[in-house]
Amino acid sequence: MVESIEAAVVVVGAGPAGLAAACCLGEVGEDVLLVDEAPRPGGQIWRHRQASDLPAGAHQWLKRLVATPVRSLTGTAVVDVGADGSLVAESAETTLQIRGRTVVLATGARELFLPFPGWTLPGVLGVGGGQALVKSGADVRDLSVVLAGSGPLLLPVAALLASRGAQLRLIAEQAPRADVVRFGAGLWRNAKKISEAFGYRWQTLKAPYRLGVWAVAAHGDSQVREVELTDGRRTWSEPCDLLCCSYGLVANTELARLLGCRIDSGRVEVDRYQSTSQENVYCVGESTGIGGAEKSIVDGQVAAAHIAGESGQLRALERHRTRLQRFSKDLDRAFRPRPELADRLLPETIICRCEDVRWGDLDSRWGIRQAKLYTRLGMGPCQGRVCGAAVRSLCGWDADSVRPPVQPCRLSSLMRGSAAEI
Amino acid sequence: MPVIKVSINGTETSVEEGTSVAAALFNNGVWCYRTSVDGSPRAPLCAMGICFECRVTIDGHAHRRACMESCRAGMEVVTGG
């Protein structure tokens, strides 16, 4: 069954950026449809089972959403773009064809995973992955956990896991001490972020927080049992039931690419009003560059003010955003993955998890196209969302195109309910 | 939190309402959500809908992402496919 829906503004993604855009537009009387594939709005950072689990700031945005006339469709994923520019979405039951005069993309970011031997073992997951699983109700009491990888997400996730009774054995940050210290010193402009960091560290004091340490292998039979770590000189093992390991975030740009928006350095290119290179398509939040929830909210407010023609607020919002963009740049520089992360890959280490393509199957003289044709790398259900960023980092290959549908969907959604269209 | 019943690989179990299918499987000691091309067990990596490692059969529908769906009363989940 295909349902047709129209709205003046369609917002894709109900994380902080999308919520802010939808609420601000809804509050000035715009006709807004907000679409998100998760069962509840909030995105990844505000993932929750009940609203009372959320921090006050997040709760406030969700309350604002309910108070506006914004139509909110959860459990609905945008999978394709029709020839007329409409968005094709599907829920568990129906296919929707959504037409909007203006589209605001707020598709967020995913984690950067860099392969290492054993990373496919059950129990090895992302840092944000561990957080998402716990927020979705996973019980980690008494499980022994190692957090490894990079970036400011390590500490809040460590704090969350500790508060839920996990035994933290180690928090390993791959970035060199000097870079992390410089990043910390640069935070003087942002007292709130400093106090947050100290707060998280205070809650995780029982676990050592080591800088310049990274995971080189995970071992186990049918699940992870221990992780091998190194500081570049010495290698040692820590037993664990869960290993959370990822290297920061990468923007989700698939839908923007499909809509023809220009991409720059892995991010959707936008102007000062969050307009993309495509007319009437805006992009807000992490898809335009990783900067955190606070920047995402301001992005959403800027786009909303521009769409609604409320230029009065724009200047103040833009100033605020400039300050947050500086934080985003510092973040990028300090937590860049070190080249040694690739040193311990073995020929049998899996790179593409969907198709079980191994490091030894790939040839550094190829490009992404040869890799796809010869090995099926990036051609499984995730469509290269995981291995694409990994081979960009390992081989310099750029997954430069996207093909519809942007994620696996029902045939009936591709057919839009009409045999004449195929 | 209210508790509902779901079936995991044929065994009925109680879960708190709002729990994702992925978390319910995790809490019930399931470590193999799906079997990979070469036969090895796989479980959630991203837990946010990106990696497709957690796909299971839900109420007869194959390839559903366990991390993206909340448990519903009477839901039947089959793993290992």
Side-chain angles (χ1 to χ4, degrees):
Chain A
M1 201 183 107
V2 179
E3 261 178 57
S4 236
I5 306 187
E6 283 184 30
V9 185
V10 180
V11 181
V12 183
L19 273 175
C23 289
C24 295
L25 285 164
E27 285 163 2
V28 295
E30 293 277 349
D31 166 37
V32 184
L33 179 71
L34 175 64
V35 186
D36 194 283
E37 63 174 337
R40 280 169 290 281
Q44 298 308 332
I45 188 163
W46 295 337
R47 190 183 256 261
H48 60 286
R49 286 198 291 170
Q50 42 190 10
S52 56
D53 297 340
L54 286 169
H59 205 169
Q60 178 212 328
W61 281 106
L62 292 176
K63 276 202 292 214
R64 276 175 76 170
L65 178 69
V66 177
T68 65
V70 170
R71 288 174 283 162
S72 176
L73 280 179
T74 52
T76 305
V78 175
V79 296
D80 201 359
V81 175
D84 60 350
S86 62
L87 302 175
V88 180
E90 67 174 39
S91 66
E93 303 85 26
T94 45
T95 299
L96 301 158
Q97 193 146 19
I98 303 169
R99 283 187 189 81
R101 261 202 319 279
T102 303
V103 173
V104 180
L105 300 173
T107 47
R110 54 177 173 262
E111 291 190 88
L112 172 61
F113 295 102
L114 296 174
F116 54 88
W119 76 303
T120 54
L121 283 169
V124 179
L125 66 171
V127 176
Q131 182 184 43
L133 203 59
V134 167
K135 285 182 179 174
S136 306
D139 179 3
V140 291
R141 257 175 308 170
D142 301 325
L143 292 183
S144 162
V145 182
V146 171
L147 287 122
S150 206
L153 193 59
L154 282 169
L155 287 178
V157 176
L160 172 73
L161 291 166
S163 76
R164 300 293 172 89
Q167 304 294 317
L168 296 183
R169 298 197 63 94
L170 175 69
I171 308 165
E173 164 60 61
Q174 62 88 32
R177 170 172 298 275
D179 290 357
V180 179
V181 169
R182 198 175 314 121
F183 175 77
L187 283 181
W188 62 268
R189 298 182 207 95
N190 203 326
K192 197 170 130 217
K193 288 208 155 63
I194 298 183
S195 75
E196 274 173 13
F198 275 108
Y200 293 136
R201 185 63 190 123
W202 178 251
Q203 294 165 54
T204 55
L205 277 180
K206 279 193 208 148
Y209 178 46
R210 300 276 312 270
L211 304 175
V213 170
W214 62 98
V216 290
H219 301 290
D221 33 33
S222 53
Q223 66 190 78
V224 64
R225 301 288 183 191
E226 62 171 31
V227 51
E228 220 178 308
L229 299 131
T230 186
D231 58 7
R233 295 179 298 276
R234 192 171 73 83
T235 298
W236 73 98
S237 289
E238 296 281 350
C240 62
D241 303 307
L242 284 180
L243 166 63
C244 298
C245 183
S246 56
Y247 294 90
L249 302 175
V250 285
N252 287 328
T253 59
E254 285 74 14
L255 191 55
R257 283 176 200 257
L258 200 59
L259 282 162
C261 303
R262 211 157 36 228
I263 309 293
D264 175 35
S265 318
R267 300 181 282 245
V268 181
E269 194 184 290
V270 287
D271 68 7
R272 57 195 289 206
Y273 304 121
Q274 305 296 138
S275 291
T276 69
S277 61
Q278 284 289 322
E279 211 179 337
N280 300 325
V281 180
Y282 290 74
C283 188
V284 292
E286 302 288 64
S287 318
T288 65
I290 308 306
E294 202 181 341
K295 175 187 157 286
S296 295
I297 290 170
V298 180
D299 281 357
Q301 291 170 317
V302 167
H306 192 248
I307 293 167
E310 306 225 316
S311 51
Q313 309 166 13
L314 274 171
R315 192 149 304 183
L317 287 168
E318 281 187 78
R319 262 201 306 276
H320 188 192
R321 192 180 48 184
T322 306
R323 190 165 60 83
L324 296 166
Q325 278 164 340
R326 202 173 308 147
F327 168 74
S328 160
K329 282 208 185 87
D330 292 350
L331 201 69
D332 241 16
R333 201 171 320 128
F335 298 103
R336 192 174 298 158
R338 57 171 70 224
E340 298 98 300
L341 292 174
D343 289 353
R344 290 281 302 270
L345 287 177
L346 302 170
E348 61 269 28
T349 306
I350 286 174
I351 305 294
C352 167
R353 302 170 62 115
C354 291
E355 296 288 338
D356 284 353
V357 179
R358 292 161 196 276
W359 183 232
D361 298 334
L362 302 174
D363 186 324
S364 61
R365 292 166 298 180
W366 294 346
I368 188 77
R369 196 173 156 74
Q370 281 92 341
K372 283 184 169 192
L373 287 171
Y374 297 149
T375 69
R376 288 194 55 77
L377 174 116
M379 296 181 71
C382 96
Q383 291 282 284
R385 282 175 168 79
V386 176
C387 67
V391 295
R392 181 175 302 121
S393 175
L394 293 171
C395 312
W397 296 345
D398 199 10
D400 53 358
S401 66
V402 64
R403 288 189 189 182
V406 286
Q407 59 172 265
C409 65
R410 288 187 300 265
L411 270 177
S412 57
S413 297
L414 286 180
M415 292 166 65
R416 330 257 197 276
S418 144
E421 282 190 42
I422 53 168
Chain B
M1 215 177 280
V3 167
I4 54 172
K5 297 242 192 265
V6 299
S7 149
I8 296 175
N9 293 327
T11 306
E12 196 177 71
T13 179
S14 301
V15 298
E16 286 178 356
E17 200 164 37
T19 304
S20 72
V21 174
L25 293 170
F26 182 89
N27 294 346
N28 280 275
V30 174
W31 288 89
C32 175
Y33 289 54
R34 75 170 187 108
T35 308
S36 86
V37 174
D38 74 6
S40 54
R42 294 288 169 80
L45 172 72
C46 77
M48 47 183 86
I50 295 291
C51 74
F52 287 76
E53 287 284 33
C54 67
R55 44 194 211 274
V56 296
T57 300
I58 297 177
D59 292 336
H61 296 283
H63 304 299
R64 305 295 308 179
R65 288 170 293 173
C67 68
M68 296 303 288
E69 283 191 50
S70 296
C71 289
R72 295 179 299 271
M75 187 184 247
E76 289 181 10
V77 184
V78 178
T79 67

